[in-house]
Amino acid sequence: SFNHQLTKSKKYSRTILQTHNYASSYDQFFYETKDSIKNIIEIGCLNGSSSAVLFYYFKNANIFSLDIDFSANNVHSKRISREIMDQSDVASIRKFLDKKSNSKFNIIIDDGSHKQDHILLTLNEFFDSLSSESFYIIEDISYKNQPKVLNIYDQFVSNNIGSINYLNKVSFNKIKNITRIESQQNFYNQNNEKTSQQYILFIELY
């Protein structure tokens, strides 16, 4: 839940940052099945730290790390496949999906640009590549910045999710459950008032 960093300039200094603490949520969903997970996609991997976590937690999984740039990423493994993909570009997404057309994925994690249009495009295009009993996970979203994304959850819990016009490729009858979990990294203004709350969505398929 907290990230301790030691940095050196003219002298050593320690910083302690509060994190989203999503790890406990992942453990809640996957502790009992983690060794049976075979194929994972992570969209957005930056320096590769998330790829390393997935590598050690899901010990038998092939991990497909998708990003637009791997220059800061030094994480390598036979089980980690690094693929260039731009989640804002439907042609780039479909190029990857065409290459993996014979594969189904147990878990897809969107931790990419965090832009609403990109998230919705990616969910729409990737949905059919999910296996049965799979999860589509969207990190770091808020009602302020991604209201249409969280509308998926709101409509699900109100039993009113028959269709959403901006997700025409998503088969909502395949969705078993949607869980919304609050991030532990809250945002406050100068008056110590919460300005926005970030969430992670776990979309579970039958």
Side-chain angles (χ1 to χ4, degrees), residues 34-121:
K34 59 185 179 179
D35 292 343
S36 64
I37 299 296
K38 297 301 182 185
N39 290 313
I40 299 172
I41 288 176
E42 59 161 346
I43 300 163
C45 50
L46 197 60
N47 62 7
S49 57
S50 58
S51 307
V53 170
L54 295 172
F55 174 86
Y56 284 108
Y57 188 78
F58 298 100
K59 296 181 179 180
N60 298 310
N62 297 307
I63 301 159
F64 299 87
S65 298
L66 313 184
D67 213 317
I68 57 174
D69 181 13
F70 287 92
S71 60
N73 187 320
N74 292 311
V75 175
H76 299 272
S77 166
K78 291 180 179 178
R79 289 200 288 115
I80 299 175
S81 175
R82 298 165 17 142
E83 308 270 354
I84 296 291
M85 192 199 77
D86 181 353
Q87 76 169 136
S88 71
D89 181 2
V90 67
S92 179
I93 293 172
R94 290 177 181 175
K95 181 180 179 181
F96 169 79
L97 289 172
D98 287 344
K99 188 163 60 171
K100 304 298 180 184
S101 59
N102 294 324
S103 299
K104 290 290 185 179
F105 300 97
N106 308 114
I107 301 171
I108 298 177
I109 304 164
D110 185 346
D111 188 25
S113 72
H114 305 300
K115 294 183 179 180
Q116 176 168 266
D117 289 348
H118 301 174
I119 293 170
L120 296 172
L121 172 63

Coordinates of all heavy atoms in Angstrom, one line a residue, residues 34-121:
K34 N -4.5 -18.8 -9.8 CA -3.3 -18.1 -10.4 C -2.4 -19.1 -11.2 O -1.8 -18.7 -12.2 CB -2.5 -17.3 -9.4 CG -2.0 -18.1 -8.2 CD -1.3 -17.2 -7.2 CE -0.7 -18.0 -6.0 NZ -0.1 -17.1 -5.0
D35 N -2.3 -20.3 -10.7 CA -1.3 -21.2 -11.3 C -1.9 -21.9 -12.6 O -1.2 -22.5 -13.3 CB -0.9 -22.3 -10.3 CG 0.0 -21.8 -9.2 OD1 0.5 -20.7 -9.4 OD2 0.1 -22.5 -8.2
S36 N -3.2 -21.7 -12.8 CA -3.9 -22.3 -14.0 C -4.1 -21.2 -15.1 O -4.5 -21.6 -16.2 CB -5.3 -22.8 -13.6 OG -6.1 -21.8 -13.2
I37 N -3.7 -20.0 -14.8 CA -3.8 -18.9 -15.8 C -2.8 -19.1 -16.9 O -1.6 -19.2 -16.6 CB -3.7 -17.5 -15.2 CG1 -4.8 -17.3 -14.1 CG2 -3.7 -16.4 -16.2 CD1 -6.2 -17.3 -14.7
K38 N -3.2 -19.1 -18.2 CA -2.2 -19.4 -19.2 C -1.8 -18.1 -20.1 O -0.7 -18.0 -20.5 CB -2.8 -20.4 -20.2 CG -3.1 -21.8 -19.5 CD -1.9 -22.4 -19.0 CE -2.1 -23.7 -18.3 NZ -0.9 -24.3 -17.7
N39 N -2.8 -17.2 -20.3 CA -2.5 -16.1 -21.2 C -3.0 -14.8 -20.6 O -4.2 -14.7 -20.3 CB -3.1 -16.3 -22.6 CG -2.4 -17.4 -23.4 OD1 -1.2 -17.5 -23.5 ND2 -3.2 -18.3 -23.9
I40 N -2.1 -13.8 -20.5 CA -2.4 -12.5 -19.9 C -2.0 -11.4 -20.9 O -0.9 -11.5 -21.4 CB -1.7 -12.3 -18.6 CG1 -2.2 -13.4 -17.6 CG2 -2.0 -10.9 -18.0 CD1 -1.4 -13.3 -16.3
I41 N -2.8 -10.4 -21.1 CA -2.4 -9.2 -21.8 C -2.4 -8.1 -20.8 O -3.3 -7.9 -20.0 CB -3.4 -8.9 -22.9 CG1 -3.3 -9.9 -24.1 CG2 -3.2 -7.5 -23.4 CD1 -4.3 -9.7 -25.2
E42 N -1.3 -7.3 -20.8 CA -1.3 -6.1 -20.1 C -1.0 -4.9 -21.1 O -0.1 -5.0 -21.9 CB -0.2 -6.1 -19.0 CG 1.2 -6.3 -19.5 CD 2.3 -5.8 -18.5 OE1 1.9 -5.1 -17.5 OE2 3.5 -6.2 -18.6
I43 N -1.9 -4.0 -21.1 CA -1.8 -2.8 -22.0 C -1.3 -1.7 -21.2 O -1.9 -1.2 -20.3 CB -3.2 -2.5 -22.6 CG1 -3.8 -3.7 -23.3 CG2 -3.1 -1.3 -23.4 CD1 -5.3 -3.6 -23.6
G44 N 0.0 -1.3 -21.5 CA 0.7 -0.3 -20.8 C 1.5 -0.9 -19.7 O 1.0 -1.4 -18.7
C45 N 2.9 -0.9 -19.9 CA 3.8 -1.6 -19.0 C 4.9 -0.7 -18.6 O 5.7 -1.1 -17.7 CB 4.2 -2.9 -19.5 SG 4.9 -2.8 -21.2
L46 N 5.1 0.5 -19.2 CA 6.1 1.5 -18.8 C 7.5 0.9 -18.6 O 8.1 0.4 -19.6 CB 5.6 2.2 -17.6 CG 6.3 3.6 -17.3 CD1 6.1 4.5 -18.4 CD2 5.8 4.2 -16.0
N47 N 8.0 0.8 -17.4 CA 9.3 0.3 -17.1 C 9.4 -1.2 -16.9 O 10.4 -1.7 -16.6 CB 10.0 1.1 -16.0 CG 9.2 0.9 -14.7 OD1 8.3 0.1 -14.6 ND2 9.6 1.6 -13.6
G48 N 8.2 -1.8 -17.0 CA 8.2 -3.3 -16.8 C 8.0 -3.8 -15.4 O 7.9 -5.0 -15.2
S49 N 7.8 -2.9 -14.5 CA 7.6 -3.4 -13.1 C 6.3 -4.3 -13.0 O 6.3 -5.3 -12.3 CB 7.5 -2.3 -12.1 OG 6.5 -1.3 -12.4
S50 N 5.2 -3.8 -13.7 CA 4.0 -4.6 -13.7 C 4.2 -6.0 -14.3 O 3.6 -7.0 -13.9 CB 2.9 -3.9 -14.3 OG 3.2 -3.5 -15.7
S51 N 5.0 -6.0 -15.4 CA 5.3 -7.3 -16.1 C 6.0 -8.2 -15.1 O 5.7 -9.4 -15.1 CB 6.2 -7.1 -17.3 OG 5.6 -6.1 -18.2
A52 N 6.9 -7.7 -14.3 CA 7.6 -8.5 -13.4 C 6.7 -9.1 -12.3 O 6.8 -10.3 -11.9 CB 8.8 -7.7 -12.8
V53 N 5.8 -8.3 -11.8 CA 4.8 -8.7 -10.8 C 4.0 -9.9 -11.4 O 3.8 -10.9 -10.7 CB 3.9 -7.6 -10.4 CG1 2.8 -8.1 -9.5 CG2 4.8 -6.6 -9.6
L54 N 3.4 -9.7 -12.6 CA 2.6 -10.7 -13.2 C 3.4 -12.0 -13.5 O 2.9 -13.1 -13.3 CB 2.1 -10.2 -14.6 CG 1.1 -9.0 -14.5 CD1 0.8 -8.5 -15.9 CD2 -0.2 -9.4 -13.8
F55 N 4.7 -11.8 -13.8 CA 5.6 -13.0 -14.1 C 5.7 -13.8 -12.8 O 5.6 -15.1 -12.9 CB 6.9 -12.5 -14.5 CG 8.0 -13.6 -14.6 CD1 8.1 -14.3 -15.8 CD2 8.8 -13.8 -13.6 CE1 9.1 -15.3 -15.9 CE2 9.8 -14.8 -13.7 CZ 9.9 -15.6 -14.9
Y56 N 5.9 -13.2 -11.7 CA 6.1 -14.0 -10.4 C 4.8 -14.5 -9.8 O 4.8 -15.5 -9.1 CB 6.9 -13.1 -9.4 CG 8.4 -13.0 -9.8 CD1 8.9 -11.8 -10.3 CD2 9.2 -14.1 -9.6 CE1 10.3 -11.7 -10.6 CE2 10.6 -14.0 -9.9 CZ 11.1 -12.8 -10.4 OH 12.4 -12.8 -10.7
Y57 N 3.7 -13.7 -10.0 CA 2.5 -14.1 -9.4 C 1.8 -15.2 -10.2 O 1.3 -16.2 -9.6 CB 1.5 -12.9 -9.3 CG 0.3 -13.2 -8.5 CD1 0.3 -13.2 -7.1 CD2 -0.9 -13.4 -9.1 CE1 -0.8 -13.5 -6.3 CE2 -2.1 -13.6 -8.3 CZ -2.0 -13.7 -7.0 OH -3.1 -13.9 -6.2
F58 N 1.7 -15.1 -11.5 CA 1.1 -16.1 -12.4 C 2.2 -16.9 -13.0 O 2.7 -16.6 -14.1 CB 0.3 -15.4 -13.5 CG -0.9 -14.6 -13.0 CD1 -0.8 -13.2 -12.9 CD2 -2.1 -15.2 -12.6 CE1 -1.9 -12.5 -12.4 CE2 -3.1 -14.5 -12.1 CZ -3.0 -13.1 -12.0
K59 N 2.6 -18.0 -12.3 CA 3.9 -18.7 -12.6 C 3.9 -19.5 -13.9 O 4.9 -19.9 -14.4 CB 4.3 -19.5 -11.4 CG 4.5 -18.8 -10.1 CD 4.9 -19.7 -9.0 CE 5.2 -18.9 -7.7 NZ 5.6 -19.7 -6.6
N60 N 2.7 -19.8 -14.4 CA 2.6 -20.6 -15.6 C 2.0 -19.8 -16.8 O 1.7 -20.4 -17.8 CB 1.7 -21.8 -15.3 CG 2.3 -22.7 -14.3 OD1 3.5 -23.0 -14.3 ND2 1.5 -23.0 -13.3
A61 N 1.9 -18.5 -16.7 CA 1.3 -17.7 -17.7 C 2.2 -17.1 -18.7 O 3.4 -16.7 -18.4 CB 0.5 -16.5 -17.0
N62 N 1.8 -17.0 -19.9 CA 2.4 -16.2 -21.0 C 1.9 -14.8 -20.9 O 0.7 -14.6 -20.9 CB 2.2 -16.8 -22.4 CG 2.7 -18.2 -22.5 OD1 3.9 -18.5 -22.3 ND2 1.9 -19.2 -22.9
I63 N 2.8 -13.9 -20.8 CA 2.4 -12.5 -20.6 C 2.7 -11.7 -21.9 O 3.8 -11.6 -22.3 CB 3.1 -11.9 -19.4 CG1 2.8 -12.7 -18.1 CG2 2.8 -10.4 -19.2 CD1 3.8 -12.5 -17.0
F64 N 1.7 -11.0 -22.4 CA 1.8 -10.2 -23.6 C 1.8 -8.8 -23.2 O 0.7 -8.2 -22.8 CB 0.7 -10.5 -24.6 CG 0.8 -12.0 -25.1 CD1 0.1 -13.0 -24.4 CD2 1.5 -12.3 -26.2 CE1 0.1 -14.3 -24.8 CE2 1.5 -13.6 -26.7 CZ 0.8 -14.6 -26.0
S65 N 2.9 -8.1 -23.2 CA 3.0 -6.7 -22.7 C 2.9 -5.8 -23.9 O 3.8 -5.9 -24.8 CB 4.4 -6.5 -22.0 OG 4.5 -7.3 -20.8
L66 N 1.9 -5.0 -24.0 CA 1.7 -4.1 -25.1 C 1.9 -2.7 -24.7 O 1.4 -2.2 -23.7 CB 0.2 -4.3 -25.6 CG -0.3 -5.7 -25.8 CD1 -1.7 -5.7 -26.3 CD2 0.6 -6.5 -26.7
D67 N 2.7 -2.0 -25.5 CA 3.0 -0.6 -25.3 C 3.4 0.1 -26.6 O 3.7 -0.6 -27.6 CB 4.0 -0.4 -24.2 CG 3.8 0.8 -23.3 OD1 3.5 1.9 -23.9 OD2 4.0 0.8 -22.1
I68 N 3.5 1.4 -26.6 CA 3.9 2.1 -27.8 C 5.5 2.3 -27.7 O 6.0 2.7 -28.7 CB 3.2 3.5 -27.9 CG1 3.4 4.4 -26.7 CG2 1.7 3.3 -28.2 CD1 2.9 5.8 -26.8
D69 N 6.1 2.1 -26.6 CA 7.5 2.4 -26.4 C 8.1 1.5 -25.3 O 7.6 1.5 -24.2 CB 7.7 3.9 -26.1 CG 9.2 4.2 -26.0 OD1 10.0 3.4 -26.4 OD2 9.5 5.3 -25.5
F70 N 9.1 0.8 -25.6 CA 9.8 -0.1 -24.6 C 11.2 0.4 -24.3 O 12.0 -0.3 -23.7 CB 9.9 -1.5 -25.1 CG 8.5 -2.2 -25.1 CD1 7.7 -2.2 -26.3 CD2 8.1 -2.9 -24.0 CE1 6.5 -2.9 -26.3 CE2 6.9 -3.6 -24.0 CZ 6.1 -3.5 -25.1
S71 N 11.5 1.7 -24.6 CA 12.9 2.2 -24.3 C 13.2 2.2 -22.9 O 14.4 2.1 -22.5 CB 13.0 3.6 -25.0 OG 12.1 4.5 -24.4
A72 N 12.3 2.3 -22.0 CA 12.5 2.4 -20.5 C 12.3 1.0 -19.9 O 12.4 0.9 -18.7 CB 11.7 3.4 -19.9
N73 N 12.1 0.0 -20.7 CA 11.7 -1.3 -20.1 C 12.8 -2.3 -20.3 O 13.2 -2.6 -21.4 CB 10.4 -1.8 -20.8 CG 9.8 -3.1 -20.2 OD1 10.6 -4.0 -19.8 ND2 8.5 -3.1 -20.2
N74 N 13.3 -2.8 -19.2 CA 14.5 -3.8 -19.2 C 14.1 -5.1 -18.7 O 14.9 -5.9 -18.3 CB 15.7 -3.2 -18.5 CG 16.3 -2.0 -19.1 OD1 16.5 -2.0 -20.3 ND2 16.5 -0.9 -18.4
V75 N 12.8 -5.4 -18.7 CA 12.3 -6.7 -18.2 C 12.2 -7.7 -19.3 O 11.5 -7.4 -20.3 CB 11.0 -6.6 -17.4 CG1 10.4 -7.9 -17.0 CG2 11.1 -5.7 -16.2
H76 N 12.9 -8.8 -19.2 CA 12.9 -9.8 -20.3 C 12.7 -11.2 -19.7 O 13.2 -11.5 -18.7 CB 14.2 -9.8 -21.1 CG 14.5 -8.5 -21.7 ND1 14.1 -8.1 -23.0 CD2 15.2 -7.4 -21.3 CE1 14.5 -6.9 -23.3 NE2 15.2 -6.4 -22.3
S77 N 11.9 -12.0 -20.5 CA 11.7 -13.4 -20.1 C 11.1 -14.1 -21.3 O 10.5 -13.5 -22.2 CB 10.8 -13.5 -18.9 OG 10.3 -14.8 -18.8
K78 N 11.4 -15.4 -21.3 CA 10.7 -16.2 -22.4 C 9.2 -16.2 -22.3 O 8.5 -16.5 -23.2 CB 11.3 -17.7 -22.3 CG 12.7 -17.8 -22.7 CD 13.2 -19.3 -22.6 CE 14.7 -19.4 -23.0 NZ 15.1 -20.8 -22.9
R79 N 8.7 -16.0 -21.1 CA 7.3 -15.9 -20.9 C 6.7 -14.5 -21.1 O 5.5 -14.4 -21.0 CB 6.9 -16.4 -19.4 CG 7.1 -17.9 -19.3 CD 6.3 -18.4 -18.1 NE 6.8 -18.0 -16.8 CZ 6.2 -17.2 -15.9 NH1 5.0 -16.7 -16.2 NH2 6.8 -16.9 -14.7
I80 N 7.5 -13.5 -21.3 CA 7.0 -12.2 -21.5 C 7.3 -11.8 -23.0 O 8.4 -11.7 -23.4 CB 7.7 -11.2 -20.6 CG1 7.4 -11.5 -19.1 CG2 7.2 -9.8 -20.9 CD1 8.1 -10.6 -18.1
S81 N 6.2 -11.6 -23.7 CA 6.3 -11.1 -25.1 C 6.0 -9.7 -25.2 O 4.9 -9.2 -24.8 CB 5.3 -11.9 -26.0 OG 5.3 -11.5 -27.3
R82 N 7.0 -8.9 -25.7 CA 6.8 -7.4 -25.8 C 6.3 -7.1 -27.2 O 7.0 -7.4 -28.2 CB 8.1 -6.7 -25.4 CG 8.5 -7.1 -24.0 CD 9.9 -6.8 -23.6 NE 10.7 -5.9 -24.4 CZ 11.6 -5.0 -23.8 NH1 11.7 -4.9 -22.5 NH2 12.4 -4.3 -24.6
E83 N 5.2 -6.4 -27.3 CA 4.5 -6.1 -28.5 C 4.2 -4.6 -28.6 O 3.6 -4.0 -27.7 CB 3.2 -6.9 -28.7 CG 3.4 -8.4 -28.5 CD 3.7 -9.2 -29.8 OE1 3.7 -8.5 -30.8 OE2 3.9 -10.4 -29.7
I84 N 4.6 -4.0 -29.7 CA 4.3 -2.6 -30.0 C 2.8 -2.5 -30.4 O 2.4 -3.2 -31.3 CB 5.1 -2.0 -31.1 CG1 6.6 -1.9 -30.6 CG2 4.6 -0.6 -31.4 CD1 6.9 -1.0 -29.5
M85 N 2.0 -1.7 -29.6 CA 0.6 -1.5 -30.0 C 0.2 -0.1 -29.5 O 0.5 0.3 -28.3 CB -0.3 -2.6 -29.4 CG -1.7 -2.5 -30.0 SD -3.0 -3.4 -28.9 CE -3.2 -2.1 -27.6
D86 N -0.6 0.6 -30.3 CA -1.1 1.9 -29.9 C -2.6 1.8 -29.7 O -3.4 1.5 -30.6 CB -0.8 2.9 -31.0 CG -1.3 4.3 -30.7 OD1 -2.0 4.5 -29.7 OD2 -1.0 5.2 -31.5
Q87 N -3.0 1.9 -28.4 CA -4.4 1.6 -28.1 C -5.4 2.7 -28.6 O -6.6 2.6 -28.4 CB -4.6 1.3 -26.6 CG -4.6 2.5 -25.7 CD -5.0 2.1 -24.3 OE1 -4.4 2.5 -23.3 NE2 -6.1 1.4 -24.1
S88 N -4.8 3.8 -29.1 CA -5.6 4.9 -29.7 C -5.9 4.6 -31.2 O -6.7 5.3 -31.8 CB -5.0 6.2 -29.5 OG -3.8 6.3 -30.4
D89 N -5.3 3.6 -31.7 CA -5.4 3.3 -33.2 C -6.0 2.0 -33.4 O -5.4 0.9 -33.1 CB -3.9 3.4 -33.7 CG -3.9 3.2 -35.2 OD1 -4.9 3.0 -35.9 OD2 -2.7 3.2 -35.8
V90 N -7.2 1.9 -34.0 CA -7.9 0.7 -34.2 C -7.1 -0.2 -35.2 O -7.1 -1.5 -35.0 CB -9.3 0.9 -34.8 CG1 -9.3 1.5 -36.2 CG2 -10.1 -0.3 -34.8
A91 N -6.4 0.3 -36.1 CA -5.6 -0.5 -37.0 C -4.4 -1.2 -36.3 O -4.1 -2.4 -36.5 CB -5.0 0.3 -38.2
S92 N -3.8 -0.5 -35.3 CA -2.7 -1.1 -34.5 C -3.3 -2.2 -33.6 O -2.7 -3.3 -33.5 CB -2.1 0.0 -33.7 OG -1.0 -0.6 -32.9
I93 N -4.4 -2.0 -33.0 CA -5.1 -3.0 -32.2 C -5.4 -4.3 -33.0 O -5.1 -5.4 -32.6 CB -6.3 -2.4 -31.5 CG1 -6.0 -1.3 -30.5 CG2 -7.1 -3.6 -30.8 CD1 -7.2 -0.6 -30.0
R94 N -6.0 -4.1 -34.2 CA -6.4 -5.2 -35.0 C -5.2 -5.9 -35.6 O -5.3 -7.2 -35.8 CB -7.4 -4.7 -36.1 CG -8.7 -4.3 -35.5 CD -9.6 -3.7 -36.6 NE -10.9 -3.3 -36.0 CZ -11.9 -2.7 -36.7 NH1 -11.7 -2.4 -38.0 NH2 -13.0 -2.3 -36.1
K95 N -4.1 -5.2 -35.8 CA -2.9 -5.9 -36.3 C -2.4 -6.9 -35.2 O -2.1 -8.1 -35.6 CB -1.8 -4.9 -36.6 CG -0.5 -5.5 -37.1 CD 0.5 -4.4 -37.4 CE 1.8 -5.0 -37.8 NZ 2.9 -3.9 -38.1
F96 N -2.4 -6.5 -33.9 CA -2.0 -7.4 -32.9 C -3.0 -8.6 -32.8 O -2.6 -9.8 -32.7 CB -1.9 -6.7 -31.5 CG -1.8 -7.6 -30.4 CD1 -0.6 -8.2 -30.1 CD2 -2.9 -8.0 -29.6 CE1 -0.4 -9.1 -29.0 CE2 -2.8 -8.9 -28.5 CZ -1.5 -9.4 -28.2
L97 N -4.3 -8.3 -32.8 CA -5.3 -9.3 -32.7 C -5.3 -10.3 -33.8 O -5.5 -11.5 -33.6 CB -6.7 -8.7 -32.5 CG -7.0 -8.0 -31.2 CD1 -8.3 -7.2 -31.3 CD2 -7.0 -8.9 -30.0
D98 N -5.1 -9.8 -35.0 CA -5.0 -10.7 -36.2 C -3.8 -11.7 -36.0 O -3.9 -12.9 -36.3 CB -4.8 -9.9 -37.5 CG -6.1 -9.2 -37.9 OD1 -7.1 -9.6 -37.4 OD2 -6.0 -8.3 -38.7
K99 N -2.7 -11.2 -35.5 CA -1.5 -12.0 -35.2 C -1.8 -13.1 -34.2 O -1.2 -14.2 -34.2 CB -0.3 -11.1 -34.8 CG 1.0 -11.8 -34.8 CD 2.2 -10.9 -34.8 CE 2.2 -9.9 -33.6 NZ 3.4 -9.1 -33.5
K100 N -2.7 -12.8 -33.2 CA -3.0 -13.7 -32.1 C -4.4 -14.3 -32.3 O -5.0 -14.6 -31.3 CB -2.9 -13.0 -30.8 CG -1.5 -12.3 -30.5 CD -0.4 -13.4 -30.5 CE 0.9 -12.7 -30.2 NZ 2.1 -13.7 -30.3
S101 N -4.9 -14.4 -33.5 CA -6.2 -14.8 -33.8 C -6.5 -16.2 -33.2 O -7.7 -16.6 -33.0 CB -6.6 -14.7 -35.3 OG -5.7 -15.6 -36.0
N102 N -5.5 -17.1 -33.1 CA -5.8 -18.4 -32.6 C -5.6 -18.5 -31.0 O -5.7 -19.6 -30.5 CB -4.8 -19.4 -33.2 CG -5.0 -19.5 -34.7 OD1 -6.1 -19.5 -35.1 ND2 -3.9 -19.7 -35.4
S103 N -5.5 -17.4 -30.4 CA -5.3 -17.4 -28.9 C -6.5 -16.8 -28.2 O -7.1 -15.9 -28.7 CB -4.0 -16.5 -28.6 OG -2.9 -17.1 -29.1
K104 N -6.8 -17.3 -27.1 CA -7.8 -16.7 -26.2 C -7.0 -16.3 -24.9 O -6.1 -17.0 -24.4 CB -8.9 -17.7 -25.9 CG -9.8 -18.0 -27.0 CD -10.7 -16.8 -27.4 CE -11.7 -17.1 -28.5 NZ -12.5 -15.9 -28.8
F105 N -7.5 -15.3 -24.2 CA -6.8 -14.7 -23.1 C -7.7 -14.8 -21.8 O -8.9 -14.5 -21.8 CB -6.4 -13.3 -23.4 CG -5.5 -13.1 -24.6 CD1 -6.1 -12.8 -25.8 CD2 -4.2 -13.4 -24.5 CE1 -5.3 -12.7 -26.9 CE2 -3.4 -13.3 -25.6 CZ -3.9 -13.0 -26.8
N106 N -7.0 -15.2 -20.7 CA -7.7 -15.4 -19.5 C -7.9 -14.1 -18.7 O -8.8 -13.9 -18.0 CB -6.9 -16.4 -18.6 CG -6.6 -17.7 -19.2 OD1 -5.4 -18.0 -19.5 ND2 -7.6 -18.5 -19.5
I107 N -6.9 -13.2 -18.9 CA -6.9 -11.9 -18.2 C -6.4 -10.8 -19.2 O -5.4 -11.0 -19.8 CB -6.0 -11.9 -17.0 CG1 -6.5 -12.9 -15.9 CG2 -6.0 -10.5 -16.3 CD1 -5.5 -13.1 -14.8
I108 N -7.1 -9.7 -19.3 CA -6.7 -8.6 -20.0 C -6.7 -7.4 -19.1 O -7.7 -7.1 -18.5 CB -7.5 -8.3 -21.3 CG1 -7.4 -9.4 -22.3 CG2 -7.0 -7.0 -22.0 CD1 -8.3 -9.3 -23.5
I109 N -5.6 -6.7 -19.0 CA -5.5 -5.5 -18.0 C -5.2 -4.3 -18.8 O -4.2 -4.2 -19.6 CB -4.3 -5.8 -17.0 CG1 -4.5 -7.1 -16.3 CG2 -4.2 -4.6 -16.1 CD1 -3.3 -7.5 -15.5
D110 N -6.1 -3.3 -18.7 CA -5.9 -2.0 -19.4 C -5.3 -1.0 -18.3 O -6.1 -0.5 -17.5 CB -7.2 -1.5 -20.0 CG -6.9 -0.2 -20.8 OD1 -5.8 0.4 -20.7 OD2 -7.8 0.2 -21.6
D111 N -4.0 -0.8 -18.4 CA -3.3 0.2 -17.6 C -2.5 1.1 -18.5 O -1.4 1.5 -18.2 CB -2.4 -0.5 -16.6 CG -1.9 0.5 -15.5 OD1 -2.5 1.6 -15.3 OD2 -0.8 0.2 -15.0
G112 N -3.2 1.5 -19.7 CA -2.5 2.2 -20.7 C -2.6 3.7 -20.6 O -2.2 4.3 -19.6
S113 N -3.2 4.3 -21.6 CA -3.2 5.8 -21.6 C -4.1 6.4 -20.6 O -4.0 7.6 -20.3 CB -3.6 6.3 -23.0 OG -5.0 6.0 -23.3
H114 N -5.1 5.6 -20.2 CA -6.2 6.1 -19.2 C -7.1 7.1 -19.9 O -7.9 7.8 -19.1 CB -5.6 6.6 -17.9 CG -4.7 5.6 -17.2 ND1 -5.1 4.4 -16.8 CD2 -3.4 5.7 -16.9 CE1 -4.1 3.8 -16.2 NE2 -3.1 4.5 -16.3
K115 N -7.1 7.3 -21.2 CA -8.0 8.2 -21.9 C -9.3 7.4 -22.2 O -9.2 6.3 -22.7 CB -7.3 8.8 -23.1 CG -6.2 9.7 -22.8 CD -5.6 10.3 -24.1 CE -4.4 11.2 -23.8 NZ -3.8 11.8 -25.0
Q116 N -10.4 8.1 -21.9 CA -11.7 7.4 -22.0 C -11.9 6.7 -23.4 O -12.3 5.6 -23.5 CB -12.8 8.3 -21.7 CG -14.2 7.7 -21.9 CD -15.3 8.5 -21.3 OE1 -15.7 8.3 -20.1 NE2 -15.8 9.5 -22.0
D117 N -11.7 7.5 -24.5 CA -11.9 7.0 -25.8 C -11.0 5.8 -26.1 O -11.5 4.8 -26.8 CB -11.7 8.0 -26.9 CG -12.8 9.1 -26.9 OD1 -13.8 8.9 -26.2 OD2 -12.6 10.2 -27.5
H118 N -9.8 5.8 -25.6 CA -8.9 4.7 -25.8 C -9.3 3.4 -25.1 O -9.2 2.3 -25.6 CB -7.5 5.1 -25.4 CG -6.9 6.3 -26.1 ND1 -5.7 6.9 -25.8 CD2 -7.4 7.0 -27.2 CE1 -5.5 7.9 -26.6 NE2 -6.5 8.0 -27.4
I119 N -9.8 3.6 -23.8 CA -10.2 2.5 -23.0 C -11.4 1.8 -23.7 O -11.5 0.6 -23.8 CB -10.6 3.0 -21.6 CG1 -9.4 3.5 -20.9 CG2 -11.3 1.9 -20.8 CD1 -9.7 4.2 -19.6
L120 N -12.4 2.6 -24.1 CA -13.6 2.1 -24.8 C -13.3 1.4 -26.1 O -13.8 0.3 -26.4 CB -14.6 3.2 -25.0 CG -15.2 3.8 -23.7 CD1 -16.0 5.0 -24.0 CD2 -15.9 2.8 -22.8
L121 N -12.4 2.0 -26.9 CA -12.0 1.3 -28.1 C -11.3 0.0 -27.9 O -11.6 -1.0 -28.5 CB -11.0 2.2 -28.9 CG -10.3 1.7 -30.1 CD1 -11.4 1.3 -31.2 CD2 -9.3 2.6 -30.7

